[in-house]
Amino acid sequence: QVQVVESGGGLVQAGGSLRLSCAASGGTFSRYTMGWFRQAPGKDRDFVAHISRSGGRPYYADSVKGRFTISRDNAKNTVYLQMNSLKPEDTAVYYCAAAGSGSDYYTYSGYDYWGQGTQVTVSP
């Protein structure tokens, strides 16, 4: 059983930056593909980014490509999401997730373990 805990959310003005962290425990971190999703009020939980076990292959939603960067440090059992040039439409609860052997890392169902989420609010 893997536990993941997100941190780093907060309130920021449009154009600003935040870095989210997700610390994992209870499993072999390097065996999991890690993903970030977000959910705005009244909307579905949407894919943001995912990164392969070794960290060599990141993938992004079109809406964040060029602004967000996902990375991981397997020695620290942590995955990060660096968010730059934030926009009000990025406001959401951001979730970290771990996938042991999923076939679709772009969807909710592809992940086995989820954190509780961290709120990101971007003011105009």
Side-chain angles (χ1 to χ4, degrees), residues 18-67:
L18 282 175
R19 187 174 85 153
L20 305 183
S21 298
C22 171
S25 61
T28 303
F29 182 69
S30 60
R31 292 182 179 176
Y32 294 89
T33 294
M34 299 300 295
W36 286 97
F37 285 70
R38 66 185 181 186
Q39 188 167 19
K43 296 190 176 181
D44 293 334
R45 190 170 298 189
D46 292 331
F47 166 76
V48 174
H50 70 74
I51 190 165
S52 63
R53 294 169 177 82
S54 66
R57 286 187 292 175
Y59 295 89
Y60 301 95
D62 288 342
S63 58
V64 307
K65 202 172 294 183
R67 299 188 299 121

Side-chain angles (χ1 to χ4, degrees), residues 44-112:
D44 293 334
R45 190 170 298 189
D46 292 331
F47 166 76
V48 174
H50 70 74
I51 190 165
S52 63
R53 294 169 177 82
S54 66
R57 286 187 292 175
Y59 295 89
Y60 301 95
D62 288 342
S63 58
V64 307
K65 202 172 294 183
R67 299 188 299 121
F68 291 11
T69 302
I70 187 172
S71 62
R72 66 189 294 164
D73 185 338
N74 286 347
K76 295 182 178 180
N77 291 354
T78 302
V79 62
Y80 305 97
L81 187 69
Q82 177 67 44
M83 306 186 295
N84 299 328
S85 302
L86 283 160
K87 305 174 181 180
E89 51 264 43
D90 294 318
T91 295
V93 177
Y94 282 70
Y95 296 90
C96 174
S101 58
S103 59
D104 186 354
Y105 299 124
Y106 294 89
T107 62
Y108 180 92
S109 60
Y111 292 81
D112 304 299

